[in-house]
Amino acid sequence: MIKDAINGYGTNGKRVADAVALQDDMKVVGVTKTKPDFEAKLAAKRYPLYVAIPENAEKFEKAGVKIEGTIEDLLEKVDLVVDCSPNKVGAQNKPMYEKAGVKAIFQGGEKKDVAEISFNALANYDKAIGKNFVRVVSCNTTGLTRVIHLIKEMYSIKKVRATMIRRVVDPKEDKKGIVNGIIPDPVKLPSHHAEDVKTVLPDVNIVTTAYKVPTTLMHLHSISIELNEKADVKDVISRFEEEPRILLVSENDGFTSTAKVIEYAREFRKRYDLFENVIWRESINFEDNELYITQAIHQEAIVIPENIDAIRAMFEIASKEDSIKKTNETLEIGKLKL
Ligand code: NAD
């Protein structure tokens, strides 16, 4: 049983905690919050709660929210911490993890040098074996990396060009966002996503662009992969059909937008979490040496299985195939196929 802490029980952290709790080879020893809000109250009902910023302990006491101690107390009890704090805060937390002698997983909001390797389960599970510090790449990078890796196993890739149409904020982020407009983000092209993909797939020639639009549900990726050889669309579809972390959907079934995809997920999944890349079957096309794919990525959920697989790799307790199979079964990944 690998004893885990989740530092930062936010969008990502609450999902990682629930996913760890479903595994039989790891457990949640505690989660942290910075302030005693409704999420802290909910967290305390589900898991032992610790305060992420020790100076704030009194605020919890005053609000009547029971805590078991501080992050430092929690680190004494665990083998690994999954850092799910906001962008760039993970790097500030790293010295605390080093001092406590625990392994740590960082998220995609951190720079790549926070960890020994950047991780995607399908593409480079074995690189994380035995490592102390691993970064699970961001939602967009996870979505791109999975697809590019699968195509790379089938064909010789000349270059990849991808455009990310990004949800502007997560649903709960009421202080940020736009209600009317499109944000070129970044304005100066290309976007950083290509460089991030190369932290996992260093030999892929990829350039990306990205724009934010007023939606909170999912990102949408328009991908074109130029190949050095001819591709057979039927073979690509078959490969995607057999990969549990890909969910093929069809316009014929009424999946006309990300709104419809989420409506489907609402029927089956807590928080409508989609751990799979959602690819439109009809979008997969091969024209003039280029393979075209349109996919939607549920930003809040896509990296959760990767965090679980990274834990197994870091403690060398399962092979890539065994870990992915176990994670898929426990999170019911692959069960939504129509
Ligand atoms: P979030 O804001 O929802 O959650 C962050 C949590 O960390 C909050 O509960 C906050 O109170 C807490 N926190 C603040 N300061 C802290 C500190 N010093 N120590 C510990 N906890 C602290 O953020 P999120 O969306 O869950 O993002 C977390 C990480 O996951 C980021 O690196 C982000 O880039 C990455 N990520 C986010 C998404 C997404 O779409 N939400 C997708 C993939 C990866």
Side-chain angles (χ1 to χ4, degrees):
M1 272 291 197
I2 295 161
K3 291 175 268 162
D4 297 334
I6 289 92
N7 193 19
Y9 190 80
T11 303
N12 209 351
K14 66 175 83 161
R15 289 172 168 84
V16 171
D18 288 356
V20 168
L22 287 172
Q23 313 303 314
D24 63 8
D25 49 3
M26 56 187 83
K27 69 173 188 177
V28 181
V29 173
V31 304
T32 74
K33 285 296 297 175
T34 53
K35 50 181 190 294
D37 59 5
F38 75 92
E39 290 204 296
K41 289 179 183 175
L42 264 177
K45 284 187 202 286
R46 294 174 179 160
Y47 303 108
L49 179 66
Y50 292 75
V51 59
I53 300 173
E55 305 87 88
N56 288 358
E58 214 175 293
K59 289 186 189 162
F60 284 74
E61 210 176 293
K62 274 194 191 142
V65 181
K66 186 174 173 282
I67 51 167
E68 310 292 328
T70 67
I71 175 69
E72 277 115 357
D73 299 325
L74 175 58
L75 291 177
E76 278 175 24
K77 300 177 186 167
V78 300
D79 306 306
L80 170 132
V81 57
V82 186
D83 186 292
C84 293
S85 64
N87 294 352
K88 313 290 180 279
V89 176
Q92 293 166 24
N93 287 336
K94 188 178 175 187
M96 182 168 63
Y97 306 148
E98 286 173 316
K99 194 169 155 215
V102 298
K103 293 185 187 237
I105 295 178
F106 298 96
Q107 306 303 312
E110 304 302 320
K111 290 201 173 127
K112 68 172 183 185
D113 55 14
V114 74
E116 294 157 276
I117 67 130
S118 291
F119 180 81
N120 175 266
L122 288 180
N124 72 346
Y125 182 94
D126 289 344
K127 285 234 165 89
I129 287 177
K131 293 284 188 292
N132 290 325
F133 297 108
V134 167
R135 180 180 76 119
V136 170
V137 289
S138 75
C139 45
N140 282 301
T141 308
T142 298
L144 285 173
T145 304
R146 278 188 195 161
V147 163
I148 297 167
H149 168 74
L150 293 174
I151 299 299
K152 194 165 170 279
E153 280 190 325
M154 299 177 75
Y155 303 111
S156 159
I157 293 180
K158 188 169 178 194
K159 65 182 190 215
V160 180
R161 299 293 178 260
T163 297
M164 258 68 60
I165 300 158
R166 302 174 56 196
R167 64 90 182 94
V168 65
V169 291
D170 285 338
K172 71 172 183 187
E173 293 180 302
D174 55 6
K175 286 193 182 142
K176 298 197 265 171
I178 45 165
V179 289
N180 188 13
I182 298 174
I183 306 176
D185 183 34
V187 176
K188 185 169 189 281
L189 298 176
S191 74
H192 73 278
H193 303 94
E195 286 312 308
D196 209 28
V197 167
K198 286 190 216 166
T199 64
V200 183
L201 300 171
D203 55 347
V204 172
N205 173 346
I206 173 166
V207 174
T208 51
T209 56
Y211 305 87
K212 282 183 178 167
V213 296
T215 175
T216 63
L217 299 177
M218 302 181 91
H219 301 303
L220 191 124
H221 295 174
S222 169
I223 308 173
S224 106
I225 305 178
E226 188 176 342
L227 302 177
N228 293 313
E229 57 192 301
K230 247 177 119 74
D232 187 330
V233 168
K234 277 203 211 101
D235 291 344
V236 174
I237 289 178
S238 302
R239 181 66 191 94
F240 288 164
E241 266 171 349
E242 71 197 24
E243 172 49 58
R245 293 198 182 175
I246 303 284
L247 171 61
L248 286 176
V249 297
S250 173
E251 192 186 10
N252 289 337
D253 285 324
F255 291 107
T256 48
S257 67
T258 53
K260 292 285 172 46
V261 170
I262 291 297
E263 187 63 11
Y264 182 60
R266 279 192 176 110
E267 297 290 328
F268 303 101
R269 294 269 174 85
K270 185 175 178 182
R271 308 184 182 108
Y272 62 76
D273 281 348
L274 277 165
F275 307 111
E276 301 89 342
N277 293 34
V278 180
I279 296 181
W280 271 274
R281 197 179 277 271
E282 296 86 346
S283 75
I284 304 168
N285 237 317
F286 187 69
E287 186 110 19
D288 196 16
N289 278 346
E290 289 189 59
L291 187 62
Y292 291 96
I293 296 165
T294 305
Q295 68 174 358
I297 301 295
H298 181 205
Q299 74 283 351
E300 297 170 293
I302 192 90
V303 302
I304 304 308
E306 315 300 320
N307 274 276
I308 301 303
D309 292 327
I311 295 172
R312 291 207 183 90
M314 291 166 80
F315 286 91
E316 303 177 60
I317 56 167
S319 67
K320 171 182 171 179
E321 289 68 29
D322 289 348
S323 177
I324 289 177
K325 190 164 176 271
K326 200 166 188 158
T327 307
N328 288 352
E329 277 169 10
T330 49
L331 297 183
E332 302 194 335
I333 293 173
K335 295 274 169 66
L336 300 189
K337 293 184 190 287
L338 278 169

mmCIF file of all heavy atoms in Angstrom, residues 160-176:
data_model
loop_
_atom_site.group_PDB
_atom_site.id
_atom_site.type_symbol
_atom_site.label_atom_id
_atom_site.label_comp_id
_atom_site.label_asym_id
_atom_site.label_seq_id
_atom_site.Cartn_x
_atom_site.Cartn_y
_atom_site.Cartn_z
ATOM 1 N N VAL A 160 3.709 17.496 -37.154
ATOM 2 C CA VAL A 160 2.364 17.651 -36.564
ATOM 3 C C VAL A 160 2.064 19.134 -36.446
ATOM 4 O O VAL A 160 2.921 19.919 -36.023
ATOM 5 C CB VAL A 160 2.308 17.019 -35.145
ATOM 6 C CG1 VAL A 160 0.919 17.183 -34.550
ATOM 7 C CG2 VAL A 160 2.715 15.555 -35.181
ATOM 8 N N ARG A 161 0.861 19.519 -36.827
ATOM 9 C CA ARG A 161 0.401 20.894 -36.618
ATOM 10 C C ARG A 161 -0.927 20.790 -35.882
ATOM 11 O O ARG A 161 -1.818 20.035 -36.310
ATOM 12 C CB ARG A 161 0.210 21.633 -37.962
ATOM 13 C CG ARG A 161 1.510 21.750 -38.772
ATOM 14 C CD ARG A 161 2.522 22.657 -38.062
ATOM 15 N NE ARG A 161 3.790 22.755 -38.769
ATOM 16 C CZ ARG A 161 4.898 22.074 -38.448
ATOM 17 N NH1 ARG A 161 4.907 21.208 -37.442
ATOM 18 N NH2 ARG A 161 6.013 22.254 -39.111
ATOM 19 N N ALA A 162 -1.062 21.506 -34.794
ATOM 20 C CA ALA A 162 -2.301 21.387 -34.015
ATOM 21 C C ALA A 162 -2.748 22.745 -33.487
ATOM 22 O O ALA A 162 -1.912 23.566 -33.092
ATOM 23 C CB ALA A 162 -2.087 20.438 -32.840
ATOM 24 N N THR A 163 -4.052 22.958 -33.512
ATOM 25 C CA THR A 163 -4.633 24.186 -32.956
ATOM 26 C C THR A 163 -5.529 23.812 -31.789
ATOM 27 O O THR A 163 -6.397 22.946 -31.919
ATOM 28 C CB THR A 163 -5.447 24.930 -34.026
ATOM 29 O OG1 THR A 163 -4.548 25.315 -35.065
ATOM 30 C CG2 THR A 163 -6.113 26.176 -33.448
ATOM 31 N N MET A 164 -5.279 24.466 -30.660
ATOM 32 C CA MET A 164 -6.084 24.226 -29.470
ATOM 33 C C MET A 164 -7.107 25.335 -29.317
ATOM 34 O O MET A 164 -6.735 26.511 -29.238
ATOM 35 C CB MET A 164 -5.193 24.249 -28.219
ATOM 36 C CG MET A 164 -4.825 22.918 -27.658
ATOM 37 S SD MET A 164 -3.738 22.000 -28.703
ATOM 38 C CE MET A 164 -2.374 23.076 -28.796
ATOM 39 N N ILE A 165 -8.389 24.957 -29.275
ATOM 40 C CA ILE A 165 -9.447 25.934 -28.980
ATOM 41 C C ILE A 165 -9.830 25.636 -27.537
ATOM 42 O O ILE A 165 -10.444 24.607 -27.239
ATOM 43 C CB ILE A 165 -10.622 25.765 -29.956
ATOM 44 C CG1 ILE A 165 -10.088 25.997 -31.386
ATOM 45 C CG2 ILE A 165 -11.745 26.744 -29.627
ATOM 46 C CD1 ILE A 165 -10.919 25.394 -32.459
ATOM 47 N N ARG A 166 -9.379 26.505 -26.644
ATOM 48 C CA ARG A 166 -9.376 26.156 -25.224
ATOM 49 C C ARG A 166 -10.562 26.741 -24.459
ATOM 50 O O ARG A 166 -10.928 27.900 -24.682
ATOM 51 C CB ARG A 166 -8.083 26.652 -24.578
ATOM 52 C CG ARG A 166 -6.839 26.092 -25.231
ATOM 53 C CD ARG A 166 -5.595 26.726 -24.641
ATOM 54 N NE ARG A 166 -5.543 26.553 -23.207
ATOM 55 C CZ ARG A 166 -4.737 27.258 -22.399
ATOM 56 N NH1 ARG A 166 -3.957 28.178 -22.900
ATOM 57 N NH2 ARG A 166 -4.746 27.041 -21.103
ATOM 58 N N ARG A 167 -11.099 25.947 -23.530
ATOM 59 C CA ARG A 167 -12.111 26.497 -22.607
ATOM 60 C C ARG A 167 -11.410 27.614 -21.838
ATOM 61 O O ARG A 167 -10.263 27.476 -21.441
ATOM 62 C CB ARG A 167 -12.655 25.403 -21.675
ATOM 63 C CG ARG A 167 -11.618 24.772 -20.714
ATOM 64 C CD ARG A 167 -11.549 25.505 -19.403
ATOM 65 N NE ARG A 167 -10.557 24.982 -18.480
ATOM 66 C CZ ARG A 167 -9.323 25.438 -18.355
ATOM 67 N NH1 ARG A 167 -8.887 26.396 -19.126
ATOM 68 N NH2 ARG A 167 -8.510 24.941 -17.439
ATOM 69 N N VAL A 168 -12.106 28.717 -21.636
ATOM 70 C CA VAL A 168 -11.402 29.863 -21.064
ATOM 71 C C VAL A 168 -11.025 29.651 -19.606
ATOM 72 O O VAL A 168 -9.925 30.012 -19.192
ATOM 73 C CB VAL A 168 -12.187 31.172 -21.294
ATOM 74 C CG1 VAL A 168 -13.509 31.170 -20.563
ATOM 75 C CG2 VAL A 168 -11.365 32.377 -20.866
ATOM 76 N N VAL A 169 -11.946 29.072 -18.818
ATOM 77 C CA VAL A 169 -11.666 28.767 -17.406
ATOM 78 C C VAL A 169 -12.417 27.495 -17.050
ATOM 79 O O VAL A 169 -13.268 27.028 -17.804
ATOM 80 C CB VAL A 169 -12.142 29.891 -16.438
ATOM 81 C CG1 VAL A 169 -11.306 31.147 -16.600
ATOM 82 C CG2 VAL A 169 -13.619 30.190 -16.618
ATOM 83 N N ASP A 170 -12.134 26.945 -15.861
ATOM 84 C CA ASP A 170 -12.912 25.820 -15.358
ATOM 85 C C ASP A 170 -14.260 26.331 -14.836
ATOM 86 O O ASP A 170 -14.391 27.513 -14.482
ATOM 87 C CB ASP A 170 -12.152 25.103 -14.239
ATOM 88 C CG ASP A 170 -11.011 24.258 -14.796
ATOM 89 O OD1 ASP A 170 -11.074 23.904 -15.985
ATOM 90 O OD2 ASP A 170 -10.064 23.961 -14.046
ATOM 91 N N PRO A 171 -15.286 25.442 -14.748
ATOM 92 C CA PRO A 171 -16.631 25.901 -14.378
ATOM 93 C C PRO A 171 -16.706 26.704 -13.080
ATOM 94 O O PRO A 171 -17.499 27.632 -12.971
ATOM 95 C CB PRO A 171 -17.421 24.587 -14.243
ATOM 96 C CG PRO A 171 -16.715 23.639 -15.141
ATOM 97 C CD PRO A 171 -15.260 24.019 -15.097
ATOM 98 N N LYS A 172 -15.862 26.364 -12.093
ATOM 99 C CA LYS A 172 -15.995 27.042 -10.782
ATOM 100 C C LYS A 172 -15.316 28.413 -10.733
ATOM 101 O O LYS A 172 -15.476 29.152 -9.763
ATOM 102 C CB LYS A 172 -15.396 26.157 -9.690
ATOM 103 C CG LYS A 172 -13.879 26.076 -9.765
ATOM 104 C CD LYS A 172 -13.269 25.357 -8.582
ATOM 105 C CE LYS A 172 -11.747 25.385 -8.712
ATOM 106 N NZ LYS A 172 -11.039 24.606 -7.741
ATOM 107 N N GLU A 173 -14.547 28.756 -11.756
ATOM 108 C CA GLU A 173 -13.708 29.950 -11.668
ATOM 109 C C GLU A 173 -14.505 31.227 -11.975
ATOM 110 O O GLU A 173 -14.416 31.796 -13.053
ATOM 111 C CB GLU A 173 -12.487 29.808 -12.574
ATOM 112 C CG GLU A 173 -11.566 28.711 -12.071
ATOM 113 C CD GLU A 173 -10.334 28.514 -12.926
ATOM 114 O OE1 GLU A 173 -10.457 28.232 -14.124
ATOM 115 O OE2 GLU A 173 -9.219 28.626 -12.373
ATOM 116 N N ASP A 174 -15.262 31.679 -10.963
ATOM 117 C CA ASP A 174 -16.178 32.801 -11.173
ATOM 118 C C ASP A 174 -15.487 34.158 -11.213
ATOM 119 O O ASP A 174 -16.112 35.158 -11.537
ATOM 120 C CB ASP A 174 -17.304 32.783 -10.121
ATOM 121 C CG ASP A 174 -16.791 32.760 -8.700
ATOM 122 O OD1 ASP A 174 -15.561 32.873 -8.503
ATOM 123 O OD2 ASP A 174 -17.618 32.626 -7.775
ATOM 124 N N LYS A 175 -14.197 34.194 -10.876
ATOM 125 C CA LYS A 175 -13.520 35.497 -10.896
ATOM 126 C C LYS A 175 -12.794 35.747 -12.219
ATOM 127 O O LYS A 175 -12.275 36.828 -12.442
ATOM 128 C CB LYS A 175 -12.505 35.572 -9.759
ATOM 129 C CG LYS A 175 -13.163 35.759 -8.411
ATOM 130 C CD LYS A 175 -12.156 36.152 -7.360
ATOM 131 C CE LYS A 175 -12.834 36.274 -6.013
ATOM 132 N NZ LYS A 175 -11.989 35.785 -4.942
ATOM 133 N N LYS A 176 -12.717 34.733 -13.079
ATOM 134 C CA LYS A 176 -11.963 34.878 -14.330
ATOM 135 C C LYS A 176 -12.856 34.570 -15.521
ATOM 136 O O LYS A 176 -13.969 34.124 -15.391
ATOM 137 C CB LYS A 176 -10.789 33.884 -14.356
ATOM 138 C CG LYS A 176 -9.774 34.065 -13.269
ATOM 139 C CD LYS A 176 -8.493 33.337 -13.602
ATOM 140 C CE LYS A 176 -8.431 31.960 -12.985
ATOM 141 N NZ LYS A 176 -7.327 31.157 -13.440
#
